[in-house]
Amino acid sequence: MPNTSGAPGSAPTPSPVHALADAALTPFWLEDPARPDAGPALVGDEHCDLLVVGGGYSGLWTALLAKERDPQRDVVLIEGQEVGWAASGRNGGFCAASLTHGLGNGLARWPGELATLEKLGARNLDAIEDAVARHGIDCDFERTGEIDVATAPHQVGELREMAEEARQLGLGGYEFLDREAVRAEVDSPTFLAGLWDRTGVAMVHPARLAWGLKRACRSLGVRIYEHTPGTQLSSRGAGIAVRTPYGRVFARHAALATNAFPSLVKRIRPFVAPVYDYALMTEPLTEEQLAAVGWKNRPGLSDSANHFHYFRITADNRILWGGYDIVYHYGGGVRAEYDHHPDTYRKLAEHFFTCFPQLEGIRFTHTWGGAIDTCSRFSAFFGTAHGGRTAYALGYTGLGVGATRFGAEVMLDLLAGERTERTELEMVRTKPLPFPPEPVRSLGIGLTQWSMTRADENGGRRNLWLKAMDKVGLGFDS
């Protein structure tokens, strides 16, 4: 979306600066009064059948499904800080059926099995909805769908083509919206068209989903230790051992769900680049403000640029507005000081008022950021180590709210040595290209970001660098 202040680099307009003045530097979702107290840390030695490392969605779904598959299985989960504190408690709350980071990415990478991937993704989202109901998880689950909006003329044709591709694949639920139709749903002068996936996305309160999964795991007998990072993983006899600051866990199998954080299997670290994404949250809209934007059917939205925004309305009628910048730090570090980026907050606020000028005067109450585990194909990859006794799934690239449950199923299949419809997928059997080492990694990411910006400014035309990256299957996204 255009910079409302005029030339690139010029000072932001007074409205965004005023709107951000009192915003708290903390994730909105994690301030919820439903946040549970942290559990104890592990002190001493533990023994179990399955150790899950990581207390975000990926780890929680793995622990829960392991107990549902075999109630007698002894499962331990360790988390370095608190369950749900990282990406699972900071994201936009878009719980998507897509396992491939959207229809377009799936068509480009796995055209021959996309119909199967879409079927499995839809089944996975249904299973999430069922689990939320069955375990009584209060996470504001609303299956409202998502509208991809065109904010530049060339994107209108791209969305129309995508709608036709979905029709040819026999995928229901996709509807092309012209300018009048999309503005009837959510009114912005920047919207030129839209593609509504009516059934494939649900909106959730992300942190409450994580906390609800934590309670469900405990109810089935999973032992959860918080403030217990895994520091070293090694084979031990017929099993594995993980060292923690104050103890050890000995297990028959391990499932690694550390995502953006450095993997305990060092050889897979080059496949993931941690990038930082940022978001703003408004104060609740008044009745007049709601009437000015519409949004009666409450779908999530994202625009169709390379540097895209995602935005949605919450249960208490706030607007979450995030995305656009993709911030990578040299060396791929994940640090608390990277959680905030004032320049991005100002830029996001400017773009917000360009999209919704009728909301002039609204204030932002929260600003925050967090790390995403991006990989070069934008969707998860899988594998095993230690002779099949350790499994991993990572690289969700910002679309893990729903896909992590599927990843948990894959990890459990791999640990069981089972051939399933999931493990036979090309997507599961292959890996993305690794990112190059530093300093080439930073230089390449910087050039890719610059090229993506130029493409957005030039009618979507991709330069030679982006075309070369497309050809070899090496990408960068959030």
Side-chain angles (χ1 to χ4, degrees):
M1 291 182 182
N3 186 322
T4 58
S5 60
S10 61
T13 59
S15 180
V17 171
H18 178 74
L20 289 165
D22 300 318
L25 298 173
T26 188
F28 169 79
W29 310 113
L30 295 178
E31 284 198 332
D32 194 285
R35 183 173 184 169
D37 293 335
L42 173 65
V43 178
D45 290 350
E46 261 282 19
H47 296 79
C48 59
D49 297 322
L50 173 66
L51 169 64
V52 179
V53 181
Y57 297 137
S58 188
L60 292 164
W61 281 118
T62 304
L64 183 66
L65 291 170
K67 293 294 286 186
E68 289 181 344
R69 289 187 181 194
D70 179 3
Q72 301 308 311
R73 189 179 329 201
D74 190 23
V75 180
V76 167
L77 183 151
I78 61 173
E79 160 56 40
Q81 295 205 29
E82 295 183 23
V83 163
W85 77 277
S88 297
R90 297 166 186 252
N91 64 82
F94 287 65
C95 186
S98 177
L99 306 175
T100 62
H101 207 274
L103 190 59
N105 192 51
L107 279 167
R109 298 181 186 277
W110 302 286
E113 63 183 28
L114 184 60
T116 299
L117 287 165
E118 289 288 308
K119 177 191 71 175
L120 291 172
R123 187 186 302 168
N124 185 64
L125 182 56
D126 288 343
I128 292 171
E129 185 171 14
D130 175 70
V132 166
R134 184 159 35 90
H135 293 289
I137 299 174
D138 178 13
C139 63
D140 300 331
F141 189 99
E142 294 182 277
R143 199 152 176 174
T144 56
E146 178 181 357
I147 302 175
D148 290 335
V149 296
T151 57
H154 72 275
Q155 296 166 7
V156 176
E158 291 172 356
L159 293 183
R160 198 183 297 274
E161 289 173 12
M162 194 63 64
E164 178 59 21
E165 294 272 15
R167 188 194 66 78
Q168 291 179 7
L169 285 167
L171 304 177
Y174 288 90
E175 180 183 352
F176 179 80
L177 306 174
D178 62 18
R179 181 171 186 167
E180 182 178 348
V182 71
R183 291 190 64 175
E185 291 298 331
V186 182
D187 191 17
S188 167
T190 67
F191 295 173
L192 306 179
L195 180 62
W196 195 348
D197 177 0
R198 286 186 173 272
T199 60
V201 183
M203 297 293 107
V204 300
H205 184 304
R208 285 189 185 178
L209 175 59
W211 300 332
L213 290 172
K214 174 184 176 180
R215 287 191 295 272
C217 286
R218 281 183 163 165
S219 74
L220 296 183
V222 177
R223 299 193 300 286
I224 297 176
Y225 296 98
E226 298 179 76
H227 297 290
T228 304
T231 59
Q232 185 179 7
L233 169 67
S234 59
S235 294
R236 186 178 178 91
I240 58 90
V242 170
R243 184 172 296 278
T244 72
Y246 305 108
R248 296 172 298 177
V249 184
F250 302 97
R252 292 176 58 199
H253 294 107
L256 304 184
T258 51
N259 294 359
F261 296 89
S263 176
L264 293 176
V265 177
K266 293 182 180 179
R267 62 182 166 81
I268 64 173
R269 292 181 183 179
F271 291 92
V272 171
V275 299
Y276 277 77
D277 178 58
Y278 298 92
L280 315 176
M281 186 72 85
T282 73
E283 62 191 344
L285 273 63
T286 65
E287 290 298 323
E288 293 78 11
Q289 289 167 331
L290 275 172
V293 295
W295 228 327
K296 292 180 181 178
N297 291 309
R298 304 176 62 81
L301 293 99
S302 62
D303 61 55
S304 303
N306 290 305
H307 286 287
F308 63 93
H309 306 81
Y310 56 86
F311 40 116
R312 50 79 58 99
I313 195 161
T314 66
D316 61 348
N317 295 327
R318 301 169 182 264
I319 295 175
L320 179 144
W321 178 266
Y324 193 77
D325 276 347
I326 312 165
V327 180
Y328 173 77
H329 295 275
Y330 187 92
V334 180
R335 301 177 184 173
E337 57 262 37
Y338 298 157
D339 286 350
H340 298 288
H341 204 250
D343 287 346
T344 296
Y345 296 150
R346 288 191 292 270
K347 192 182 302 179
L348 284 172
E350 292 172 26
H351 295 178
F352 177 89
F353 288 110
T354 298
C355 184
F356 295 121
Q358 65 270 48
L359 297 182
E360 176 70 29
I362 202 168
R363 305 293 289 269
F364 297 105
T365 60
H366 297 75
T367 63
W368 71 93
I372 291 173
D373 58 329
T374 193
C375 74
S376 65
R377 72 182 192 188
F378 312 152
S379 50
F381 64 93
F382 314 89
T384 60
H386 301 104
R389 291 169 301 199
T390 297
Y392 55 82
L394 66 166
Y396 292 95
T397 315
L399 216 67
V401 180
T404 43
R405 185 191 176 281
F406 175 82
E409 295 269 30
V410 171
M411 284 196 286
L412 293 172
D413 289 350
L414 293 173
L415 289 173
E418 297 176 350
R419 292 183 62 179
T420 67
E421 187 175 26
R422 290 180 289 264
T423 62
E424 291 299 295
L425 290 166
E426 180 187 355
M427 176 189 178
V428 172
R429 292 185 289 105
T430 61
K431 287 185 173 60
L433 288 173
F435 292 105
E438 298 289 9
V440 178
R441 177 185 290 202
S442 288
L443 291 171
I445 288 173
L447 180 55
T448 301
Q449 295 235 52
W450 178 85
S451 299
M452 289 164 63
T453 301
R454 299 289 80 77
D456 285 339
E457 294 172 348
N458 293 297
R461 290 184 293 276
R462 298 172 77 78
N463 64 15
L464 290 176
W465 175 260
L466 291 181
K467 289 178 181 178
M469 295 299 99
D470 293 340
K471 188 172 182 178
V472 301
L474 185 62
F476 184 72
D477 203 354
S478 69

